[in-house]
Amino acid sequence: MTELAAVKAALRTQAVETPSWAYGNSGTRFKVFAQAGVPRDPFEKLDDAAKVHEFTGVAPTVALHIPWDRVDDYAALAAHAEDRGVRIGAVNSNTFQDDDYRLGSICHPDAAVRRKAVDHLLECVGIMDATGSRDLKLWFADGTNYPGQDDIRSRQDRLAEGLAEVYERLGEGQRMLLEYKLFEPAFYTTDVPDWGTAYAHCLKLGAKAQVVVDTGHHAPGTNIEFIVATLLREGKLGGFDFNSRFYADDDLMVGAADPFQLFRIMYEVVRGGGFSSDVAFMLDQCHNIEAKIPAIIRSVMNVQEATAKALLVDAGALAAAQAAGDVLEANAVLMDAYDTDVRPLLREVRAEMGLDPEPMKAYRACGWGEKVVAERVGGRQAGWGA
């Protein structure tokens, strides 16, 4: 197989998971902006997600968020996904939207609140059983605002205890993916603030626990690709939440703020074997002012372009330059790949997959957006908290 054929083959196997919540209404802390045609239930979210997969060919799974996507019959939801040509992906828990969690969830000083939080996580594992989901994705808003508010070490003990109980409930082939976030909503301490804390807990839990890297959850200037390389080396990179940020929050489209960073991350994924392993590539972003389905299609394409460039890095030339200590040549090898216009290559790959080479144009021409605006009248639109 030629080098270009190998790159094409790799791109055809790529899978980017889309999040159910990205199809609903969202906004800032000040306003949620409603859009016509937004799904009213998880079934309609899956319908929209299926359109993203139809036109990109690489978005076969959809992440759920509980309780936002709670239904009476999860087997029926999974069957609906299959009927639409997609599958249920990660199940995301929610321990941050209940009044009881004001001082934390599984790190809360009150044992009754911790019990409630852990029971919710166990509920999510049950939903994984019913839908065939592999991954339980955990993010905790737990933390403190003021020095002395709570004991830092005790909160880590509670976190470890809660995670251990949920870990033991996981079935064969299921994983726990632990996400970290530098801050927000806690301002003094966050209980899972960085990759080191997440890694330490996952290491103690065992092989089924792995770390999620959210590309928007780091301090300015953080070398995210170093974190990715390290976690891959240790066999503890479970997945990504792809998005972008400019200052602090993380809900902008992946590749929007710093496409070069996304390329550098994907190079380390390719270099470390993560592209052909069980690393999950997920979007975690909201679309507040732009049309949702086209924005998700564009996001998937952004990941594809960064991946294609990473696959085009001349590994032999790079290794030779590095071994020779040729600093400028080594950098030039990476930059040559990054500066390559991979859009023609990706159009070829799509055509070979039987897809329209231009997903955005094809979606706009299909009439789905106009169809759902006309049909989804009445009921309650899905959004944050629904």
Side-chain angles (χ1 to χ4, degrees):
M1 183 182 293
T2 66
E3 181 180 344
L4 185 59
V7 170
K8 286 184 174 182
L11 289 169
R12 284 194 292 271
T13 66
Q14 186 168 31
V16 180
E17 184 163 298
T18 69
S20 67
W21 53 95
Y23 298 97
N25 285 325
S26 58
T28 68
R29 288 161 182 76
F30 308 104
K31 170 67 176 176
V32 171
F33 301 98
Q35 296 185 21
V38 162
R40 297 163 294 181
D41 57 46
F43 293 90
E44 291 182 347
K45 292 178 182 178
L46 291 173
D47 294 341
D48 285 357
K51 285 297 172 184
V52 174
H53 184 48
E54 176 183 339
F55 291 107
T56 65
V58 294
T61 57
V62 186
L64 299 184
H65 196 293
I66 306 300
W68 299 351
D69 294 321
R70 190 174 277 150
V71 295
D72 294 331
D73 189 339
Y74 289 102
L77 187 66
H80 183 82
E82 294 281 354
D83 288 344
R84 297 301 187 271
V86 293
R87 304 185 310 277
I88 302 300
V91 174
N92 291 253
S93 62
N94 182 321
T95 55
F96 55 86
Q97 282 192 314
D98 192 291
D99 285 346
D100 284 343
Y101 300 142
R102 182 171 60 91
L103 299 180
S105 60
I106 69 170
C107 300
H108 199 288
D110 188 330
V113 176
R114 296 199 300 274
R115 182 71 261 158
K116 175 180 176 176
V118 170
D119 285 346
H120 169 66
L121 304 186
L122 296 174
E123 173 197 4
C124 290
V125 179
I127 294 169
M128 294 167 63
D129 294 339
T131 60
S133 170
R134 178 187 66 172
D135 295 332
L136 172 68
K137 192 147 74 66
L138 305 178
W139 170 71
F140 299 106
D142 294 39
T144 64
N145 279 356
Y146 298 100
Q149 177 182 322
D150 200 358
D151 186 73
I152 293 174
R153 179 165 175 166
S154 294
R155 293 182 73 89
Q156 289 296 309
D157 291 341
R158 299 167 202 153
L159 175 64
E161 181 181 357
L163 291 176
E165 181 177 347
V166 179
Y167 184 88
E168 289 303 315
R169 171 63 179 80
L170 294 174
E172 187 69 26
Q174 293 179 338
R175 307 188 302 175
M176 171 188 291
L177 303 183
L178 182 59
E179 184 179 348
Y180 57 90
K181 190 171 185 178
L182 180 65
F183 77 101
E184 192 193 40
F187 294 106
Y188 174 60
T189 63
T190 301
D191 290 316
V192 191
D194 51 40
W195 72 275
T197 305
Y199 173 75
H201 282 282
C202 289
L203 192 64
K204 186 174 182 179
L205 288 166
K208 291 182 180 180
Q210 295 188 301
V211 179
V212 170
V213 174
D214 186 305
T215 53
H217 283 187
H218 301 83
T222 298
N223 190 319
I224 300 174
E225 54 267 35
F226 175 85
I227 298 170
V228 170
T230 301
L231 289 173
L232 274 169
R233 182 174 179 272
E234 298 297 324
K236 278 296 184 181
L237 180 63
F240 286 95
D241 274 357
F242 283 130
N243 51 58
S244 288
R245 67 157 174 79
F246 280 97
Y247 298 104
D249 214 341
D250 64 326
D251 281 333
L252 298 175
M253 289 169 49
V254 58
D258 189 350
F260 184 46
Q261 180 190 64
L262 182 59
F263 160 75
R264 299 194 309 267
I265 290 169
M266 291 310 301
Y267 169 71
E268 291 301 335
V269 170
V270 171
R271 162 68 178 82
F275 190 64
S276 57
S277 69
D278 288 332
V279 176
F281 301 98
M282 299 173 279
L283 301 180
D284 182 13
Q285 51 194 43
C286 294
H287 306 287
N288 304 336
I289 58 176
E290 64 270 32
K292 298 178 187 302
I293 297 176
I296 297 171
I297 291 174
R298 172 60 68 191
S299 298
V300 172
M301 293 171 66
N302 288 351
V303 175
Q304 286 182 297
E305 291 179 14
T307 304
K309 293 181 178 186
L311 289 165
L312 288 173
V313 172
D314 188 333
L318 181 60
Q322 290 170 341
D326 193 334
V327 175
L328 293 178
E329 179 60 21
N331 177 251
V333 172
L334 274 182
M335 294 308 300
D336 283 346
Y338 177 69
D339 290 335
T340 301
D341 184 356
V342 296
R343 292 173 297 176
L345 171 63
L346 286 166
R347 285 194 286 266
E348 288 181 21
V349 170
R350 294 183 190 111
E352 292 169 2
M353 294 172 66
L355 302 171
D356 192 296
E358 298 283 358
M360 293 288 286
K361 291 180 181 178
Y363 171 74
R364 291 193 180 103
C366 81
W368 180 258
E370 294 79 8
K371 179 178 182 291
V372 295
V373 168
E375 293 181 353
R376 293 174 183 171
V377 178
R380 181 188 179 192
Q381 290 185 319
W384 288 349

